[in-house]
Amino acid sequence: MPRTKDGKPILNKPFKSKQTPANKKFSVYVKADTKKGYKLIHFGAAGMADWRSGKATVAQRKSFRARMGGVRKKDGSLAVKDKSSPAYWALNYLW
């Protein structure tokens, strides 16, 4: 996992590690209003094609981006505009 010299995680830089669950592709640390000041987000379904890997087609990319554009959080705001949501990272990093 990416860390600075003083041991704090590097924020907003996706990575693969032993902490990433088997059913997810990547993890990323994002800024949060917690005591630590950051939280770990896991995103991307393992085993599925994505644009970054080069396995997805143009039609798949268009369909995924249209589908993700409407995903909302519990408070009604768009999830793809919030860096602390897996939807944001899946859309902007994988697709």
Side-chain angles (χ1 to χ4, degrees):
M1 100 187 64
R3 293 199 178 260
T4 60
K5 291 180 182 179
D6 59 350
K8 293 182 181 178
I10 297 173
L11 301 179
N12 302 325
K13 183 177 180 182
F15 62 93
K16 288 185 181 183
S17 76
K18 293 178 183 176
Q19 285 185 325
T20 305
N23 62 341
K24 298 295 179 184
K25 288 185 181 180
F26 293 97
S27 298
V28 64
Y29 284 105
V30 295
K31 188 174 182 175
D33 296 333
T34 61
K35 188 174 182 180
K36 293 189 290 186
Y38 61 88
K39 70 178 182 177
L40 183 62
I41 303 288
H42 305 289
F43 66 95
M48 300 299 285
D50 62 68
W51 190 254
R52 185 177 181 84
S53 68
K55 295 179 183 175
T57 64
V58 174
Q60 285 175 314
R61 182 178 197 212
K62 183 178 178 182
S63 177
F64 182 84
R65 292 184 70 85
R67 195 167 57 247
M68 288 298 284
V71 175
R72 296 187 179 271
K73 299 189 308 183
K74 290 181 181 179
D75 65 0
S77 63
L78 288 174
V80 295
K81 292 188 176 186
D82 180 17
K83 277 194 173 184
S84 65
S85 77
Y88 172 89
W89 290 100
L91 184 71
N92 292 300
Y93 187 72
L94 294 177
W95 291 89

